[in-house]
Structure formats: C-alpha cells, structure tokens
Amino acid sequence: MSGLVIAVDGPAASGKSTLASRLAADLGLHFLDTGLIYRAVGARVLGEGGDPDDAADAQVAAEGLAETDLARPDLHTPEVSQAASKVAAHQDVRGVLLDYQRRFAAREPGAVLAGRDIGTVVCADARRKIFVTASVEERARRRFEELRRREAGVIYDTVLQDLRERDRRDQSRAVAPLKPAADAYVLDTTAMDTEMAFEAARAFVIGNT
Ligand code: DC
C-alpha cells in the first residue's frame, strides 16, 4: 500500500514550497520541492555554456543530474529561474525527471511534493491536491521583500516582469502546463499571511483524511 501523497502546485513565488514543507513537517511526511530539480537542470545547462531553449542541451543536462546539483548555491538567481522555466518546457526533460519524482512520492509513510504539475501529471492520483496562488502583484511584492533582505538594488518592476514572464511560459507550454487539477483545492493567499495559509491548507488535508 502506498502512503499519503499530497500535491501542492502553484505559480512562481506563490509560497507553495514553504507551505508544502511545513505540511510535510507537521504530518511527518517526506518533502520534495520539484522546482529545485528544474532549477538544477537549468543551472547545469548554463554552466556548460548551453542554451536552455535547446532541447538537446537540456536533455543532456537532465540525464547528467546528480543529487549534489540540488544543493548548488546558485539555484535561486534570476538567470537560473528563467533557465529552469525554459528547460521545463521540453518534453524529454520532463520525461527524464518524472521517474525520480514518482519514486520519491512512493516513499513510506508518504510525501508532499511541490511543483507545477504534481496534481495533474506526476501524482495525478494523489489523495490531496492543493493549488496555491496569489495575484502576480502580491507574489512580486513578497519576492521583492525577500530579495531585498539579501541584496541591494533590487527593483520591484523587474521582479514583477520576471514573474509575469515565467507565468506566461509555465502556463502556455504544450507539455504539462501549470493549471489546477480538476479536483484541487484552490487556495488564494493574496489576502493571507503564511500562518493563515498554512492553517487553511492543514484544515483541508486533515478534514479530508
Ligand atoms: O517552483 P520554482 O519556481 O522553483 O520552479 C522553477 C521552474 O521549474 C518553473 O518556472 C517551472 C519549472 N517547474 C515545472 O515545470 N514543473 C514542476 N513540477 C516544478 C517546476
């Protein structure tokens, strides 16, 4: 028998990873941020001087992915964020990464996976599915505050534009586009703080278990 699988999807900077990781800790489940895998592939392509839009370059990087790549310090730079979104549009890249994600999801006693297509593709039969979202302006504001604490000279409009671009690419790609699964609980956190969002997600999971 497989354990409890919870799919947490949503657009960039929606807070889904923070929420999913808290849920996993609260429920004693494993946690995987699948965005990190795409980021690692994007970082590898850039590191090898390749083009993230090129399917062959991206596939070579995906096939060569090692566990240590997930701990690279550069996974959250704007360049790697865009490269991740680009490599994620290639069908062969997604195919290579699917197996790893499904094996992770099958771990006992269960797992919480955060991403874009967990509820629709990777774990389409997950017992619980949550789609975390917020307005793009609010997501940009949160990301801007977070970046500003780490570095100087961050510009809100640039952050907003970066998110819009990734939203557009992630939603319009032909393979596994970002969208809520038909049976997902849509959690709009635009007017919520992290605590309220966590409580709402937890109530949904517990209430339905
Ligand atoms: O969640 P994130 O922002 O760290 O993800 C980075 C990119 O990876 C995102 O723009 C799209 C891609 N991605 C994906 O296509 N499917 C997933 N399950 C997770 C991420």
Side-chain angles (χ1 to χ4, degrees), residues 3-91:
L4 174 64
V5 176
I6 302 176
V8 181
D9 291 300
S14 58
K16 61 188 181 303
S17 302
T18 309
L19 183 74
S21 126
R22 266 189 83 178
L23 271 180
D26 189 74
L27 300 167
L29 304 174
H30 300 287
F31 168 63
L32 179 65
D33 176 0
T34 63
L36 280 187
I37 307 176
Y38 290 93
R39 286 174 181 274
V41 174
R44 279 184 67 105
V45 173
L46 296 180
E48 287 158 10
D51 175 5
D53 280 321
D54 184 89
D57 283 0
Q59 193 183 341
V60 168
E63 284 169 348
L65 199 68
E67 198 78 33
T68 48
D69 290 319
L70 300 184
R72 290 174 65 127
D74 60 346
L75 296 184
H76 291 280
T77 64
E79 294 73 30
V80 170
S81 301
Q82 291 296 348
S85 172
K86 289 176 181 172
V87 298
H90 302 301
Q91 169 116 50

Side-chain angles (χ1 to χ4, degrees), residues 116-183:
R116 298 287 188 295
D117 63 336
I118 308 302
T120 52
V121 177
V122 179
C123 303
D125 57 356
R127 193 123 38 104
R128 301 285 166 259
K129 298 178 185 178
I130 304 173
F131 190 86
V132 188
T133 189
S135 73
V136 70
E137 293 80 8
E138 175 60 15
R139 287 185 281 126
R141 191 193 61 76
R142 293 177 193 166
R143 178 55 55 90
F144 170 69
E145 295 298 340
E146 182 189 319
L147 290 173
R148 203 164 59 153
R149 276 195 293 274
R150 278 189 273 149
E151 59 199 88
V154 184
I155 301 164
Y156 172 84
D157 283 343
T158 309
V159 176
L160 179 63
Q161 199 186 334
D162 183 75
L163 285 185
R164 285 211 164 110
E165 196 179 326
R166 278 213 286 150
D167 279 0
R168 195 165 41 243
R169 196 183 298 111
D170 295 348
Q171 286 162 357
S172 64
R173 69 182 177 220
V175 217
L178 168 70
K179 63 170 183 210
D183 53 347

